[in-house]
Amino acid sequence: MKKLILILTIYLISTINANAEFSFTFEWGDIKKCTSGNPNKVENPIFNLVNVPEGTKELRFKMKDKDVPQYNHGGGKIKNYGGETVIQPGAFKYKSPCPPSGSHTYEWTITAIGDKKKKLGKAKATREYPE
């Protein structure tokens, strides 16, 4: 009976973890303040990843200004992803947030890619700049 309970417990824990949603938070970090409307080329924010899908080989990052969605801020890639849960500045460069007046809402999207370029998951997070 104890063995059966142990097996069921392990199964339930693995099922819960397998179904947990891929998500992240980010911090702007130490980027140069910009409110001129002319973005700087800067290092990526600090990303804190949660429940990255199993089998992820690459992470693709893209930032969008929700107030000016047609502007391409770019993003970057981390090839040969090794399971890190924190992505520090310096992994890639992009065009910084730089609203010409007031603050804007910026959205980062991270796509997890597996073998044969298969999309395994996607997560989004937003934050104001300047805060």
Side-chain angles (χ1 to χ4, degrees):
M1 185 66 159
K2 287 182 183 180
K3 189 173 185 179
L4 178 61
I5 292 172
L6 178 63
I7 290 170
L8 286 173
T9 302
I10 291 170
Y11 171 77
L12 288 173
I13 290 171
S14 66
T15 303
I16 290 168
N17 288 339
N19 293 328
E21 190 172 338
F22 174 34
S23 64
F24 68 95
T25 59
F26 69 94
E27 302 167 35
W28 292 119
D30 215 8
I31 62 174
K32 181 179 176 184
K33 185 170 173 125
C34 186
T35 56
S36 66
N38 297 310
N40 300 300
K41 194 82 165 174
V42 297
E43 293 184 341
N44 60 280
I46 302 161
F47 294 99
N48 293 290
L49 311 177
V50 178
N51 298 319
V52 176
E54 190 173 326
T56 297
K57 306 287 185 204
E58 179 180 307
L59 295 172
R60 295 180 185 168
F61 298 78
K62 180 91 173 139
M63 188 179 83
K64 176 170 50 172
D65 181 340
K66 300 285 279 182
D67 298 294
V68 187
Q70 67 275 15
Y71 186 83
N72 183 8
H73 281 273
K77 294 180 183 180
I78 295 179
K79 296 183 177 186
N80 303 314
Y81 172 69
E84 303 85 353
T85 58
V86 178
I87 307 300
Q88 295 290 343
F92 62 87
K93 290 192 174 195
Y94 72 105
K95 292 179 186 174
S96 70
C98 192
S101 60
S103 68
H104 284 191
T105 301
Y106 292 87
E107 178 180 74
W108 276 100
T109 301
I110 303 176
T111 305
I113 306 295
D115 286 331
K116 299 181 182 177
K117 304 292 180 194
K118 181 181 178 186
K119 290 184 183 177
L120 301 177
K122 185 182 278 193
K124 295 182 180 201
T126 59
R127 198 164 189 149
E128 295 290 314
Y129 182 89
E131 294 180 302

